Amino acid sequence: MFDEIREISLPLSDIWMPDIIIKEVVDFEGSPDLPYVYVNSSGTIKNSKPIQVVSACSLETYAFPFDIQNCSLTFSSALHTVHDINLAFLRSRGDMKHDKKEFLNDSEWELLSVSSTHNILQSCAGESAQIQFHVVIRRHPLVYVVSLLIPSIFLMLVDLGSFYLPPTCRARIAFKTSVLVGYTVFRVNISDEMPRSALSTPLIGVFFVVCMAFLVISLFKSILLVRFLHDESGAGQERPLLCLQGDTDADEPRTDPRAQLAGATEPPFCQEHQVQPGTLKEVWFQLRSISTYFQTWEQAEQQEVKWLALLQRFDRLLFQAYAVVLGLYAVTLCSLWALWASS
């Protein structure tokens, strides 16, 4: 009727617009301002406005970086019921599910599918229409494999190799301390790259904590062993001279080696035999003191050997447990990668 004009543009402020909202929206960012809408001759209004929003999504980060996320976008009216405003799909669900033309692909995420549902919700105000889109995306893990997983495996292998150092070697403590510092620095560096979620903890973080626990236990065990050997060697350095000093320092009390082992002091044999110097009795008491010392030294040596054997067995058990954990870590990561590739 008017020169076959089929569509005109009108200011958005001149017509009524439905109050369609996205329930998961947290904030609007950088949405372009388009103040016009199209109205055709049949009364259909087209409001094609792109919206950039920040939405809430419950992340499952257990399989990070091989994780697949399912985030929802729910469209509904804020005030009106289904008798006033009804929602419908402009395209078929099958066409929308695997359509990736509008997805701006980046280097971190890949769009797998967008499924959709239409529901009628019951409330005290009446029935309301709701359309929900389920956006399934998966992460590209290659950058995290290079920057996180491979360095972490190398660090664990270095720590595992420290078990081949002798348990009595004091350099082992310095080596394990350096590895512990490396763990701490690496953990601080990756804290910004790992996603934070209160619902789940990334598996790589759990393995880091377990490996650090093994490292601390092994380091503490090495410290105790070195301390034990130091006490034993320091206590046995002065024992051979206790009763071989003759009459020098005769007025000072001496300590019996057996009393040293028991933690008590008593008048030694050396002080008793000074009454009759140069006699066989003096020689007898000296030989008896020397024999007592060697018996005590042999007992201490046997006890030290028993402690060393016990700590070596514990060290071997710790090494086997560490190797099992590292093997499970590698197998789990390979399995998660295979599941990610097959999805």
Side-chain angles (χ1 to χ4, degrees), residues 2-8 39-42:
F2 297 92
D3 294 334
E4 295 185 357
I5 298 176
R6 298 181 180 274
E7 195 173 56
I8 60 174
V39 181
N40 63 15
S41 58
S42 64

Side-chain angles (χ1 to χ4, degrees), residues 28 38 75 83-84 116 122 131 147 160 268 288-289 300 315 329 333 335:
F28 287 90
Y38 284 105
F75 296 82
H83 301 288
D84 300 324
S116 56
Q122 300 288 338
I131 288 181
S147 61
L160 193 64
R288 184 177 177 184
S289 300
D315 195 67
Y329 179 58
L333 290 180
S335 301

Side-chain angles (χ1 to χ4, degrees), residues 15-242:
I15 63 173
W16 176 86
M17 293 297 297
D19 54 343
I20 304 300
I21 62 172
I22 303 176
K23 293 184 177 181
E24 293 84 3
V25 166
V26 177
D27 188 18
F28 287 90
E29 288 188 357
S31 300
D33 186 15
L34 300 179
Y36 295 95
V37 294
Y38 284 105
V39 181
N40 63 15
S41 58
S42 64
T44 302
I45 300 175
K46 294 181 181 180
N47 184 15
S48 300
K49 180 181 179 180
I51 301 176
Q52 182 179 357
V53 300
V54 179
S55 62
C57 181
S58 179
L59 298 179
E60 294 291 337
T61 60
Y62 177 77
F64 174 84
F66 308 103
D67 51 336
I68 298 176
Q69 307 297 337
N70 188 348
C71 298
S72 300
L73 296 174
T74 305
F75 296 82
S76 64
S77 175
L79 299 175
H80 298 82
T81 62
V82 70
H83 301 288
D84 300 324
I85 297 178
N86 194 7
L87 303 179
F89 295 105
L90 186 63
R91 299 166 56 191
S92 64
R93 301 181 188 180
D95 293 340
M96 292 187 296
K97 185 173 183 179
H98 299 287
D99 187 9
K100 303 179 182 180
K101 296 179 181 179
E102 302 297 331
F103 181 72
L104 300 178
N105 196 4
D106 59 0
S107 60
E108 185 174 2
W109 296 99
E110 176 187 359
L111 178 65
L112 296 182
S113 64
V114 181
S115 58
S116 56
T117 57
H118 179 274
N119 300 315
I120 301 297
L121 304 180
Q122 300 288 338
S123 63
C124 57
E127 297 180 346
S128 60
Q130 172 182 287
I131 288 181
Q132 190 172 42
F133 294 93
H134 302 280
V135 182
V136 181
I137 56 178
R138 69 177 180 181
R139 194 189 307 267
H140 290 292
L142 183 59
V143 61
Y144 296 100
V145 169
V146 175
S147 61
L148 293 181
L149 299 185
I150 294 180
S152 67
I153 292 177
F154 285 162
L155 194 59
M156 293 175 186
L157 289 176
V158 170
D159 188 17
L160 193 64
S162 65
F163 284 91
Y164 284 95
L165 292 176
T168 57
C169 180
R170 299 189 181 185
R172 184 177 185 179
I173 297 179
F175 183 81
K176 284 186 171 293
T177 304
S178 302
V179 175
L180 182 59
V181 173
Y183 263 115
T184 305
V185 173
F186 186 73
R187 180 68 176 172
V188 171
N189 291 335
I190 68 173
S191 61
D192 296 333
E193 300 184 18
M194 295 181 62
R196 295 181 176 88
S197 177
L199 299 179
S200 60
T201 302
L203 186 62
I204 183 175
V206 175
F207 276 109
F208 271 132
V209 172
V210 173
C211 292
M212 288 187 69
F214 278 116
L215 176 59
V216 171
I217 293 174
S218 178
L219 181 60
F220 184 70
K221 185 265 302 177
S222 299
I223 293 174
L224 288 180
L225 178 59
V226 172
R227 178 63 180 175
F228 171 75
L229 295 179
H230 177 75
D231 292 341
E232 289 293 329
S233 60
Q237 287 176 356
E238 299 179 356
R239 288 178 185 173
L241 303 178
L242 286 177

Side-chain angles (χ1 to χ4, degrees), residues 235-254:
Q237 287 176 356
E238 299 179 356
R239 288 178 185 173
L241 303 178
L242 286 177
C243 298
L244 299 177
Q245 294 179 355
D247 293 336
T248 59
D249 300 332
D251 296 334
E252 297 180 2
R254 309 294 178 84

